[in-house]
């Protein structure tokens, strides 16, 4: 939607035409989970006994093979790790919320020391992913659910770029309905009422955290709200004048995305991520991910920036 089309709204002049349009019902990457593995309707169905399971040295090769079709999250834990006891339930809850787009394999490192050595893990807890047989480092401490979800969102996009788009399906599980459209939120967005749209999309996500349409809408609403009365050129000039100013960089990146120059936006933010730490680094990372959502996984600038982001983080 282009909020600038309604001349009566306070955001007159804000042009979101550079932002992608998205028709989710025809987006194969985010198709609804299938009813049964191997069904004629979805060749990407991967039959599993459970979305969460324990794995040991004897069964680990099966997990690696499965990673060719669906991303695997590996939770390396130990009974003596207090942080692990806090983190594992969060990781499990978030994985299950994706409805089969991820599976979780839990590894007791005390019982399987060779797996710990294979991953080169020095500290517990430690969460790693496997995509097409290759390890992808994620995080190694207890994180709040929102941050865990952000890492997994990024993992799914990385997996999709590598052709790993299968859906794990538990035998006998009923199909869950596809996420509903959000007409009230979209209407608010189209008239430039970004606060209302943001609130409605957040409500939808609280009820269905894996709702990709709501994530996309929330990202657009946030972008529009942040730029509602701003002069994009002034934002970019301010950031150029003080390249170390995190808030100025975030604002300039918003303006560059709306202005049709996402590559500059991502270069600006990722350059700062490399030299930042703590809350500032996390804020920059989250802004990059939000702009990824705005542009979509097929955008060439997103594809290039995702690799640069992973290198900057790890």
């Amino acid at each position: 939607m282009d909020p600038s089309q309604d001349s009566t709204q306070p955001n007159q002049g804000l042009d979101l035409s550079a932002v992608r349009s998205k028709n989710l019902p025809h987006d194969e990457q985010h198709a609804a989970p299938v009813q049964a593995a191997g069904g004629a309707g979805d060749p990407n169905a991967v039959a599993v006994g459970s979305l969460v399971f324990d794995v040991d040295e004897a069964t680990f090769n099966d997990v690696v093979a499965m990673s060719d079709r669906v991303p695997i999250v590996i939770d390396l834990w130990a009974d003596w790790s207090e942080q692990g006891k806090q983190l594992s339930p969060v990781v499990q809850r978030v994985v299950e919320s994706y409805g089969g787009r991820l599976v979780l394999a839990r590894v007791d490192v005390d019982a399987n020391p060779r797996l710990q050595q294979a991953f080169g893990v020095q500290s517990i807890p430690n969460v790693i992913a496997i995509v097409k047989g290759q390890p992808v480092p994620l995080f190694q401490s207890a994180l709040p659910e929102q941050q865990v979800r952000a890492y997994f969102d990024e993992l799914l996009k990385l997996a999709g770029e590598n052709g790993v788009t299968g859906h794990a399906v538990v035998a006998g599980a009923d199909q869950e309905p596809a996420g509903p459209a959000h007409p009230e939120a979209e209407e608010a967005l189209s008239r430039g009422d970004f606060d209302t749209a943001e609130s409605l999309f957040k409500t939808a996500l609280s009820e269905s955290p894996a709702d990709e349409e709501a994530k996309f809408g929330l990202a657009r609403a946030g972008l529009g709200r942040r730029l509602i009365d701003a002069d994009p050129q002034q934002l970019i000039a301010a950031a150029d004048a003080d390249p170390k100013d995190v808030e100025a960089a975030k604002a300039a990146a918003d303006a560059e995305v709306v202005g049709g120059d996402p590559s500059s936006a991502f270069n600006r933010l990722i350059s700062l991520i490399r030299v930042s730490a703590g809350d500032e680094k996390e804020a920059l990372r989250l802004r990059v991910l939000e702009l990824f959502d705005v542009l979509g996984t097929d955008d060439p600038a997103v594809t290039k920036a995702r690799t640069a982001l992973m290198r900057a983080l790890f």
Side-chain angles (χ1 to χ4, degrees), residues 18-275:
V19 175
R20 66 174 176 149
S21 61
K22 179 179 181 183
N23 186 358
L24 279 170
H26 299 284
D27 185 350
E28 294 181 0
Q29 181 177 348
H30 304 304
V34 297
Q35 292 188 26
D42 190 347
N44 289 328
V46 181
V48 295
S50 173
L51 295 179
V52 179
F53 50 86
D54 293 318
V55 64
D56 57 23
E57 293 167 3
T59 59
F60 189 72
N61 284 340
D62 294 335
V63 172
V64 174
M66 189 189 301
S67 73
D68 285 343
R69 301 187 64 194
V70 63
I72 311 294
V73 175
I74 307 291
D75 178 12
L76 295 124
W77 66 279
D79 190 58
W80 45 262
S81 171
E82 293 302 319
Q83 280 202 37
K85 292 177 181 178
Q86 298 174 30
L87 178 63
S88 289
V90 175
V91 172
Q92 177 170 337
R93 182 166 61 249
V94 175
V95 167
E96 290 175 334
S97 75
Y98 284 90
R101 295 173 64 206
L102 297 170
V103 298
L104 173 62
R106 302 181 71 248
V107 175
D108 180 349
V109 296
D110 288 338
N112 301 276
R114 289 198 298 176
L115 290 182
Q116 180 179 1
Q117 294 170 7
F119 282 113
V121 168
Q122 302 296 322
S123 62
I124 300 297
N126 209 306
V127 178
I128 295 170
I130 302 179
V131 176
K132 278 196 169 180
Q134 299 300 311
V136 180
L138 295 179
F139 48 90
Q140 47 189 303
S141 61
L143 297 179
E145 183 168 326
Q146 181 181 7
Q147 291 186 31
V148 172
R149 192 175 301 281
Y151 274 102
F152 290 172
D153 285 345
E154 182 66 10
L155 170 63
L156 282 169
K157 292 171 184 175
L158 178 67
E161 289 179 353
N162 285 276
V164 181
T165 57
H167 297 275
V169 180
V170 179
D174 293 332
Q175 181 180 7
E176 295 185 10
H182 306 286
E184 292 183 12
E186 290 291 345
E187 172 61 25
L189 195 61
S190 69
R191 67 174 183 267
D193 187 354
F194 300 119
D195 289 338
T196 296
E198 192 170 58
S199 177
L200 291 170
F201 284 125
K202 283 182 176 179
T203 298
L205 281 170
S206 70
E207 297 171 353
S208 179
D211 186 336
E212 293 295 326
E213 186 177 359
K215 289 179 185 178
F216 172 53
L218 182 60
R220 286 180 294 155
L223 182 63
R225 178 175 50 76
R226 293 193 298 268
L227 293 175
I228 190 169
D229 292 319
D231 182 327
Q233 294 307 313
Q234 288 183 2
L235 295 178
I236 294 170
D240 288 343
D242 187 358
K244 295 183 180 180
D245 187 327
V246 169
E247 292 304 316
K250 288 159 59 180
D254 286 344
E256 286 167 330
V257 166
V258 169
D261 189 10
S263 294
S264 293
F266 293 136
N267 288 339
R268 183 186 300 276
L269 296 177
I270 293 171
S271 294
L272 265 180
I273 285 174
R274 294 190 181 100
V275 297

Side-chain angles (χ1 to χ4, degrees), residues 274-289:
R274 294 190 181 100
V275 297
S276 299
D279 291 342
E280 285 190 346
K281 185 171 186 175
E282 178 64 10
L284 288 163
R285 184 184 71 85
L286 292 176
R287 180 57 57 85
V288 171
L289 296 182

